[in-house]
Amino acid sequence: MGKLVKFLNLLIFYLILFLFAFIPLYPKFPLINISGTFVAIRIEDIVIALVVSLWGFHIVFSKHLKSILEDKVNKALILFFFIGLISTFSAIFLTHSVISHISILHFLRRIEFMILLPVVATVVNSKKRFIWVLSVLGLTILSVNIYGLGQLYLNWPVISTTNSEFSKGLILRLASGARVNSTFAGHYDLAVFLAMMITLLTGLFFAVRNSLRVVVFVLGGLSLMILIFTAARQSFIAGFIGLILALIFSRKKKYIFLFLILAIGILIYPNQLRDRFVSTFTINVLNLGTRYEGKTEDQQIRSKLNIPTLAIKTSSESAQTSTFATGSGTVATDITPGEPIDTTQLGVYRSFQIRLQIEWPRAIAAFWKNPFLGTGYSSIEIATDNDFLRSIGEVGILGTSAMVLILISVGRKLFICLKYENKLIRYFSAGVLAMLFAFIINGLFIDVFEASKVASLFWMILGLNLAVMKFNK
């Protein structure tokens, strides 16, 4: 029995190493399509199911089940899963607010992502294994960045799931001015991943010396460059807040001013990211910019009816006359009265208005229908663009409270690691704790806890940090 336990432990560890590379790098090709949704079962789902099954046998045979169940983080996880199960049952049989098989699928996906935390925490049981994971993760970050550059400059393929047609696994190419996806399903997912890694690498930079420090610096610089190419505003903000927090947790506050200057320089230099930030302020906050108004009699009639007007020749003067923002160079089409005529400004305007007028009110309405348990997973469509509003809508106060309890329980343990004497563990923990905050900030505007690639990695990295607590000495 002892040999079987050792074999299972080693096998699971190698599979975990594989997942740290496979999840970010393998494109989202569908394996099994699910009726009623374009979210498909993929190869990584099968591998994760295999890992979790083997891990279940391992903890039973190794007689560690009791100690695992007594851990406070694992108790919070079990509570969250239990409330999610009750919410799903309520949504299917009582409120009838979901399609049963889709709701069950969404519930199982939450378990799939989050169960990786205790798996990694129990399997990575030595410093040697910890170093192996960090090495694989470093190579993965490098590969993601190189592939992103290949898409931009070498016309490498793009696999996206941004709509139902693309999610079939179509091989695409980046159009001129398009935002890079790399190996992720969309530029937002890539941006969240890069924000996580920049924060993590900031902590690791102070944990290593000499040539390794150069490697970490290069990986961080590449990640920041690709993050700028994604033009994802919320991830840029989350990444820099995470970076500053990592410096604070690492007790390296003297570097904060330097990185603030870097951030200002990035936002001054002409690029899509800067233009979108400026448009956010001028369009959504100050309500400026040239808006569409009907010119001909037919257009004015359509304007009164608020009907989209197709292929209207417009200009980009509002952007071109700005001190900072530059014109998109393209003509906005399919616009309704009151919307900006510049394509960059139009995208920023709609991005915010969809959240403010549709997605967020929909989640709040779901919450009021069943405040304690919500209306069930998948009941408020595929996206809410605010994970916490989505949570209170789908699983109510009880489920959201359990989720917050998990994050607090993990955060408290990571905070303890900041006091360890081991430099590698202390600085790594500083980066992970800052990453936790950056991920939460991203969750205020993106559904990051449901994005399979970044959510899986998030829980795995948290589990990795909890693992090092056990062999600190």
Side-chain angles (χ1 to χ4, degrees), residues 317-339:
E317 292 179 355
S318 60
Q320 291 172 347
T321 54
S322 169
T323 305
F324 295 101
T326 55
S328 62
T330 57
V331 174
T333 61
D334 189 21
I335 57 178
T336 57
E339 290 187 324

Side-chain angles (χ1 to χ4, degrees), residues 290-295 299 303 309 312 335-341:
T290 304
R291 308 297 175 112
Y292 166 72
E293 296 179 1
K295 303 298 182 182
Q299 292 170 10
S303 295
T309 302
I312 296 299
I335 57 178
T336 57
E339 290 187 324
I341 61 176

Side-chain angles (χ1 to χ4, degrees), residues 148 151-152 158 160 162 173-182 184-188 190-191 226-234 272-273 276 343-344 347-348 351:
Q151 286 179 338
L152 285 169
V158 176
S160 175
T162 52
R173 308 285 173 174
L174 283 184
S176 177
R179 291 184 275 175
V180 62
N181 288 19
S182 188
F184 287 73
H187 62 276
Y188 284 124
L190 171 62
I226 301 298
L227 176 60
I228 295 171
F229 288 145
T230 66
R233 295 156 293 167
Q234 59 277 358
Q272 277 197 63
L273 179 64
R276 291 178 68 82
T343 52
T344 298
V348 169
S351 176

Side-chain angles (χ1 to χ4, degrees), residues 104-391:
I104 293 171
L105 174 66
H106 278 249
F107 170 60
L108 293 176
R109 282 171 64 83
R110 300 307 195 284
I111 297 177
E112 173 191 355
F113 304 152
M114 300 172 72
I115 199 68
L116 291 172
L117 184 151
V119 172
V120 175
T122 53
V123 173
V124 181
N125 53 16
S126 68
K127 184 177 179 179
K128 182 179 179 180
R129 290 189 175 186
F130 176 49
I131 298 300
W132 266 105
V133 173
L134 291 182
S135 301
V136 170
L137 191 57
L139 291 173
T140 301
I141 297 170
L142 178 62
S143 301
V144 168
N145 288 320
I146 289 176
Y147 196 84
L149 292 173
Q151 286 179 338
L152 285 169
Y153 301 112
L154 300 176
N155 203 31
W156 286 1
V158 176
I159 305 298
S160 175
T161 60
T162 52
N163 62 47
S164 57
E165 190 65 24
F166 291 171
S167 67
K168 296 177 182 178
L170 299 180
I171 297 178
L172 311 168
R173 308 285 173 174
L174 283 184
S176 177
R179 291 184 275 175
V180 62
N181 288 19
S182 188
T183 55
F184 287 73
H187 62 276
Y188 284 124
D189 288 1
L190 171 62
V192 173
F193 169 79
L194 294 173
M196 292 168 58
M197 296 305 106
I198 288 171
T199 306
L200 185 62
L201 289 169
T202 302
L204 283 175
F205 178 81
F206 301 105
V208 297
R209 293 181 179 179
N210 303 327
S211 58
L212 284 178
R213 180 166 287 188
V214 175
V215 171
V216 172
F217 181 81
V218 170
L219 287 177
L222 274 174
S223 298
L224 177 58
M225 181 174 66
I226 301 298
L227 176 60
I228 295 171
F229 288 145
T230 66
R233 295 156 293 167
Q234 59 277 358
S235 292
F236 181 82
I237 293 173
F240 259 90
I241 291 176
L243 188 153
I244 291 172
L245 289 175
L247 293 174
I248 293 173
F249 296 148
S250 301
R251 300 177 184 177
K252 303 292 182 179
K253 298 179 183 179
K254 60 183 178 181
Y255 295 99
I256 292 178
F257 181 74
L258 175 64
F259 283 105
L260 287 176
I261 296 298
L262 175 62
I264 293 172
I266 292 171
L267 295 179
I268 290 177
Y269 188 81
N271 56 68
Q272 277 197 63
L273 179 64
R274 184 203 64 174
D275 292 345
R276 291 178 68 82
F277 268 117
V278 172
S279 295
T280 299
F281 185 73
T282 57
I283 298 299
N284 292 329
V285 179
L286 299 180
N287 200 32
L288 300 177
T290 304
R291 308 297 175 112
Y292 166 72
E293 296 179 1
K295 303 298 182 182
T296 67
E297 182 178 352
D298 178 64
Q299 292 170 10
Q300 290 174 1
I301 294 173
R302 292 166 64 87
S303 295
K304 292 178 181 179
L305 298 175
N306 202 36
I307 298 175
T309 302
L310 300 175
I312 296 299
K313 292 184 179 181
T314 59
S315 67
S316 299
E317 292 179 355
S318 60
Q320 291 172 347
T321 54
S322 169
T323 305
F324 295 101
T326 55
S328 62
T330 57
V331 174
T333 61
D334 189 21
I335 57 178
T336 57
E339 290 187 324
I341 61 176
D342 178 75
T343 52
T344 298
Q345 294 179 353
L346 180 62
V348 169
Y349 174 82
R350 286 182 174 175
S351 176
F352 182 69
Q353 292 300 318
I354 287 172
R355 289 177 171 90
L356 192 64
Q357 298 184 16
I358 300 175
E359 294 176 338
W360 294 352
R362 184 172 57 199
I364 295 171
F367 166 74
W368 286 116
K369 288 180 181 178
N370 191 345
F372 290 103
L373 291 174
T375 53
Y377 290 119
S378 79
S379 61
I380 52 178
E381 304 299 333
I382 198 69
T384 301
D385 289 325
N386 183 312
D387 250 315
F388 301 97
L389 286 178
R390 179 179 185 135
S391 181

